[in-house]
Amino acid sequence: MTAPTPRRTPAGAAVLREDVTEAIRAAVFEELAAVGYARMSIEGIARRAGVGKTAVYRRWKSKLSLVLDLVGAFAAQGLPAPASGSLYGDVRALLEVASHALRHPVASQVIPDLLVEAARHPEIAETVKAVLLDGQQGVMTQVVREAVARGELPGGTDPGKALDLAVGPLYWRLVVVRTPLPKGYVDELARAAVAALKA
């Protein structure tokens, strides 16, 4: 009686190694920061990740789908909702998280480039909106709702306006003008935003 022939794994059923996927994702950030989206290539990403181009193409069909997946993953993570017990404390906490993220060396290079590309690619625009706006909008909606419940803000306060007042100047300074934050800037901005909302 002959021994049964071992079953072979069907072609195309190879399991994608998570460590390789993570190396590629890290390489995308580095490549975006170094050369920007327009000059970024699958070849450059593969070289940085120490893998072949086929390893990248097995996971993503193009550099656009790769970047959208990567940026979308950050949108899915969301921001923790502050729970300081006061409007000022919550706005201050939101600004602290946002300023820390925007001052990150990679983010400071990648975000402005993606904003430029968003004007050319609707898919990028939608994903960038999810990352830069929707998550913070959801957090600010909760901050406003709780402030109204505590009597700190009148009912009907617009969370979108609150977000514009609080985070808008931060984006302007860190992403557009690209200047360092003066000492105490986040505290002053939080106080100014709260005063404007209560006016």
Side-chain angles (χ1 to χ4, degrees):
M1 184 174 179
T2 58
T5 305
R7 295 179 65 183
R8 297 176 63 184
T9 303
V15 176
L16 298 177
R17 288 175 41 194
E18 188 59 31
D19 61 326
V20 172
T21 303
E22 288 307 311
I24 293 170
R25 286 184 173 133
V28 173
F29 270 124
E30 293 169 10
E31 192 76 356
L32 274 171
V35 303
Y37 177 83
R39 293 175 55 206
M40 186 178 78
S41 67
I42 296 296
E43 291 83 356
I45 293 167
R47 189 167 46 252
R48 273 183 198 274
V51 300
K53 286 191 298 182
T54 54
V56 180
Y57 282 119
R58 273 200 295 268
R59 291 161 174 82
W60 297 278
K61 62 183 180 180
S62 66
K63 73 174 185 177
L64 177 59
S65 62
L66 202 168
V67 170
L68 291 178
D69 175 62
L70 195 64
V71 175
F74 281 93
Q77 290 177 5
L79 292 169
S84 70
S86 72
L87 177 60
Y88 169 79
D90 287 352
V91 170
R92 171 72 175 72
L94 179 61
L95 288 173
E96 186 63 40
V97 170
S99 67
H100 179 73
L102 291 172
R103 283 182 289 182
H104 187 281
V106 174
S108 67
Q109 294 295 323
V110 170
I111 290 174
D113 192 53
L114 287 180
L115 290 174
V116 170
E117 293 301 327
R120 302 186 187 108
H121 299 280
E123 304 97 326
I124 291 181
E126 186 177 323
T127 306
V128 168
K129 176 181 175 291
V131 173
L132 298 183
L133 178 61
D134 293 350
Q136 290 181 340
Q137 184 73 58
V139 171
M140 186 58 86
T141 297
Q142 183 173 337
V143 166
V144 168
R145 185 186 308 121
E146 292 176 1
V148 169
R150 288 191 300 263
E152 290 185 89
L153 289 176
T157 298
D158 180 7
K161 177 185 174 185
L163 188 63
D164 291 346
L165 287 169
V167 184
L170 197 63
Y171 276 104
W172 173 260
R173 183 176 282 271
L174 293 177
V175 177
V176 181
V177 181
R178 299 170 71 83
T179 57
L181 298 183
K183 186 176 180 181
Y185 179 82
V186 170
D187 296 317
E188 292 173 12
L189 182 55
R191 280 193 292 271
V194 168
L197 288 168
K198 289 183 174 181

